[in-house]
Amino acid sequence: EVQLVESGGGLVQPGGSLRLSCAAYGFTFSSFSMHWVRQVPGKGLESVSAISGNGDNTYYANSVRGRFIISRDNSKNTLYLQMGGLSAEDMAVYYCAREWPPGSNDHWGQGTLVTVSS
Amino acid sequence: DVVMTQSPLSLPVTLGQPASISCRSSQILVFSDGNTYLNWFQQRPGQSPRRLIYGVSNRDSGVPDRFSGSGSGPDFTLKISRVEAEDVGVYYCMQGTHWPWTFGQGTKVEIK
């Protein structure tokens, strides 16, 4: 069974940094592109970043480019999102999601909440 | 970025009656490989999004056949043939053709 488990969320001060992790189970992790999608509680969904299966290709939304870095460790079946320069606009639940087939996300994690406040 | 516009944003429905949600894209969603990457997701209260439809009309495994997707650029539709209580939630269309992938604003389905 495919399972995605996010962790690393929490309270961080404005301007601070945080690293999110997403542990993957039940599939050949390196064969799939992976995504981070965020959602302000009670609001809509926003694609944040994506990475190809081998990690060679990365993609970012304009709102996070230059502040966030997506990466993966295929030996550990884990996806990461290093977030920096955090502001109130980054407060959201962050989901990791698998891409399959191309152009779609079939499995999502339960999400991890990032709160930015002093 | 591609703007996905859903309507209506709120949809009160009587149990057993049909429901329809529209989604319009601001750009053509046909990828260079000829495929149209238009998806529909359901998000029940307190849960993560769940994919219902991918590639315009392909229903995911385990999704009841009362859900169907159709359309071609720029207009797409999600239909529920007979709404059940478990269908309450917010429905999103999403395009996966152009990066960044973008979602509609969401349509809240509730029971009258």
Side-chain angles (χ1 to χ4, degrees), chain B residues 1-54:
Chain B
D1 298 358
V2 177
V3 176
M4 305 297 287
T5 304
Q6 287 182 230
S7 63
L9 300 184
S10 178
L11 185 55
V13 188
T14 301
L15 287 173
Q17 293 300 302
S20 181
I21 301 170
S22 297
C23 177
R24 171 169 287 185
S25 62
S26 64
Q27 297 180 29
I28 294 172
L29 299 184
V30 179
F31 194 60
S32 54
D33 61 7
N35 292 314
T36 298
Y37 296 121
L38 188 284
N39 310 276
W40 289 95
F41 295 88
Q42 174 195 62
Q43 189 172 33
R44 292 171 172 151
Q47 295 187 11
S48 302
R50 168 200 183 197
R51 192 177 68 187
L52 300 175
I53 302 286
Y54 63 94

Side-chain angles (χ1 to χ4, degrees), chain A residues 1-117:
Chain A
E1 177 193 3
V2 173
Q3 194 174 5
L4 299 170
V5 180
E6 301 94 337
S7 61
L11 175 63
V12 60
Q13 292 187 340
S17 300
L18 207 59
R19 188 177 83 158
L20 306 183
S21 299
C22 170
Y25 305 92
F27 64 100
T28 305
F29 182 65
S30 60
S31 295
F32 293 85
S33 294
M34 297 294 295
H35 292 240
W36 288 101
V37 180
R38 68 184 179 184
Q39 183 175 35
V40 174
K43 302 296 184 181
L45 296 157
E46 178 188 14
S47 289
V48 172
S49 186
I51 186 168
S52 58
N54 61 11
D56 284 351
N57 298 301
T58 58
Y59 307 85
Y60 298 95
N62 288 336
S63 58
V64 306
R65 185 175 288 112
R67 299 187 299 119
F68 290 11
I69 299 174
I70 191 171
S71 63
R72 62 192 299 159
D73 186 336
N74 287 342
S75 69
K76 295 182 178 179
N77 291 345
T78 302
L79 174 72
Y80 302 102
L81 186 68
Q82 179 68 47
M83 305 187 295
L86 289 165
S87 70
E89 284 67 43
D90 298 312
M91 280 204 300
V93 174
Y94 284 73
Y95 296 101
C96 69
R98 188 179 79 165
E99 180 178 338
W100 188 255
S104 189
N105 296 124
D106 62 343
H107 289 277
W108 298 59
Q110 84 289 348
T112 187
L113 178 63
V114 172
T115 302
V116 182
S117 176

